[in-house]
Amino acid sequence: MKIGLKHYYGDLHTHTGFSDGKGTPKEAFEWAKASKMGDFLAVSDHEGSITMQKWMETLKAADEATDETFVGIASYESGYSEEFRDEDGVAVVNGGELNLFGTDALLVEAGYPTDFKDFYEKLRKHKGAIAFYNHPQEASWPTDKIWNAYDEFGVYEDGIDDYIVGMETSNETSAYNHIHELVYTIALDKGWKFAPYATTDTHSGNWLSGFENRTVVLAESLTREHLIEAFRKRHVYAVQDKNFQVEFAVNGRIMGSVLSPKDHTYHIEVEVLHKEPHEGGAFKRLEIISDYGQVVASCERRDFHMKWNVTLESETARYFFLRVVNEEGKKAWSAPVWTGRKPDEKVEAVKGRRIRPEAMKVIYASSEKDSCKACEILNPDTKTYWESEETSGEIIIDLGEEKELIGIGYRKNYIAYEDKEALAKLMDGYCYEVSKEEQEGYEVVASGRVRNYGSEHYRSFEAIKARYVKIKALNAIEEGIVAIGNIYIYEM
């Protein structure tokens, strides 16, 4: 594949002693440059800790480190924060942090704006500034309410793409790194045009040299101007191994491009390379991901250099991107190629009446661990979840009689934030099927997918008469065990 651009590797999320890390920006840039393990580094200390003097020193250090072999970038970590009461009456911090670069100005003098629109207005006034969302699954408190972060990405508006261009799909020092990517497609489905970023968020020094995560940008040459312009165009991919190289194009347009919505046929070209092959490190799977995080095509084989072409047909797809997995479980994500179609308009759901738990019964579970019984998912007073022994699983719920159903909901706010494994099992959501008959081969009269993000997880549908609901749990992480939290079913 010939793209005419070069691959430049670096880290855009690091800290120094100017906020809550170690050393100085000058030391960070010098260390990263001397390591020869990347082409660029951004120092992104917390804005609330940066005085004007510190900021001027950071700008100067970035300039002094920059030459034809390395680019230093002065940036900072800012964000927005607003507290609200959720449906349980619990105070939740809604918001999160973003990294900004491409501007010599500081966004705010002290503290964070109180909501996203306030943040956006401040960002829009800074010519040249661009930003990306950090650790998207860690922004809300208390600890068991993390899915309220970033206002559930429901504030997308035209023009915002000029300023906010990406999201971390991997943050190497985060204890929750393995679930960050689950939020990525949720934002894409709501209309955001995000490239994926893989960063270290280091507070301990060893800039570039002590870590594997890299954000890779496809640019004309190694200058700060060309890098920032390429980030703005989303010619970007994220890797968890600094030796991965990825190329991805749809209909001859590279990652970050936008096609015509009139297209229905998509010719996809993929090439991946491991620049330092070693035993156990070969690529094992390439996946094309589209709307709602669904895998629409995959290629499995063991190799260090893979080329793959596939043609897909769709009249509804809004984006395609590549996910790469190697034998060690390390991943890479390309920025999407967008089809030019707009996201679905947000429709206010009509819930109707929640069916009482005692009126329902779990009549089948594919498998379960003794500690997490399937019947408990119908009891809203329990703080548990059903867990399968297998890497896939399903249950069937009998409503006792045929009812006129209009929606399915799912709440799991009770999983402790510290229970990373349980969170990973639950975060990706589940599929449901509503049917009139329980026997094998029954008629499915409604189906869909519920995504687990936000204060309420709910899908409505046209009123239908049915008696049985089948829930299929989705596998959220590589070779993980699936689980289902509290299920609510609604009738007219």
Side-chain angles (χ1 to χ4, degrees), residues 441-457:
Y442 60 81
E443 177 189 5
V444 177
V445 292
S447 63
R449 183 180 185 188
V450 177
R451 299 301 302 272
N452 295 334
Y453 194 80
S455 54
E456 175 91 18
H457 321 303

Side-chain angles (χ1 to χ4, degrees), residues 226-492:
H226 280 158
L227 293 184
I228 290 176
E229 182 60 24
F231 280 117
R232 197 181 303 280
K233 292 179 178 178
R234 298 165 181 80
H235 297 334
V236 176
Y237 62 95
V239 298
Q240 293 181 326
D241 187 313
K242 65 181 183 298
N243 294 301
F244 289 1
Q245 180 174 299
V246 174
E247 295 187 358
F248 174 74
V250 180
N251 291 352
R253 304 284 300 280
I254 67 170
M255 59 185 84
S257 301
V258 180
L259 307 177
S260 166
K262 297 179 180 179
D263 294 340
H264 294 157
T265 301
Y266 302 96
H267 304 290
I268 299 175
E269 300 174 85
V270 174
E271 183 172 359
V272 296
L273 173 68
H274 196 306
K275 296 185 288 185
E276 290 191 7
H278 61 272
E279 185 176 353
F283 300 117
K284 71 174 183 178
R285 186 168 65 253
L286 309 179
E287 298 172 319
I288 306 300
I289 312 297
S290 190
D291 298 13
Y292 307 109
Q294 296 295 293
V295 177
V296 293
S298 63
C299 173
E300 297 192 21
R301 69 172 187 263
R302 299 302 199 268
D303 208 339
F304 293 100
H305 185 195
M306 296 174 63
K307 293 183 179 181
W308 178 41
N309 293 344
V310 62
T311 298
L312 301 176
E313 299 283 343
S314 178
E315 296 183 0
T316 59
R318 293 170 293 210
Y319 60 85
F320 298 98
F321 69 88
L322 173 70
R323 180 168 63 203
V324 180
V325 184
N326 83 338
E327 292 176 312
E328 297 169 323
K330 293 183 177 180
K331 297 180 180 179
W333 304 264
S334 77
V337 171
W338 285 272
T339 65
R341 299 187 181 99
K342 293 185 176 181
D344 296 335
E345 291 187 11
K346 185 177 180 180
V347 178
E348 202 66 37
V350 179
K351 289 183 182 177
R353 182 172 63 252
R354 185 183 291 175
I355 297 176
R356 302 188 321 277
E358 58 269 24
M360 302 182 287
K361 182 179 180 181
V362 174
I363 60 173
Y364 171 78
S366 58
S367 67
E368 66 179 346
K369 290 187 175 181
D370 292 339
S371 59
C372 300
K373 297 294 185 181
C375 60
E376 292 299 316
I377 69 171
L378 301 178
N379 184 355
D381 296 325
T382 62
K383 297 184 179 182
T384 186
Y385 56 93
W386 165 76
E387 185 172 350
S388 169
E389 290 184 318
E390 308 298 331
T391 55
S392 62
E394 63 184 35
I395 63 174
I396 296 177
I397 300 169
D398 183 358
L399 306 180
E401 61 182 0
E402 195 172 88
K403 298 178 183 292
E404 194 166 15
L405 306 182
I406 61 170
I408 293 180
Y410 175 18
R411 285 186 56 215
K412 55 175 184 9
N413 286 341
Y414 304 120
I415 305 304
Y417 185 62
E418 290 80 5
D419 193 344
K420 298 182 287 295
E421 185 179 2
L423 283 171
K425 294 169 186 175
L426 289 167
M427 283 306 301
D428 200 27
Y430 63 88
C431 294
Y432 64 86
E433 293 179 349
V434 179
S435 65
K436 294 183 178 180
E437 301 293 337
E438 181 265 330
Q439 292 84 359
E440 186 176 353
Y442 60 81
E443 177 189 5
V444 177
V445 292
S447 63
R449 183 180 185 188
V450 177
R451 299 301 302 272
N452 295 334
Y453 194 80
S455 54
E456 175 91 18
H457 321 303
Y458 181 78
R459 283 290 296 273
S460 60
F461 41 77
E462 295 275 340
I464 53 172
K465 291 185 177 180
R467 174 172 175 172
Y468 299 94
V469 176
K470 177 189 284 188
I471 305 295
K472 297 180 179 180
L474 300 181
N475 186 356
I477 57 175
E478 185 77 8
E479 299 176 354
I481 304 300
V482 297
I484 295 175
N486 296 114
I487 297 291
Y488 301 138
I489 302 173
Y490 296 84
E491 63 179 336
M492 289 287 286

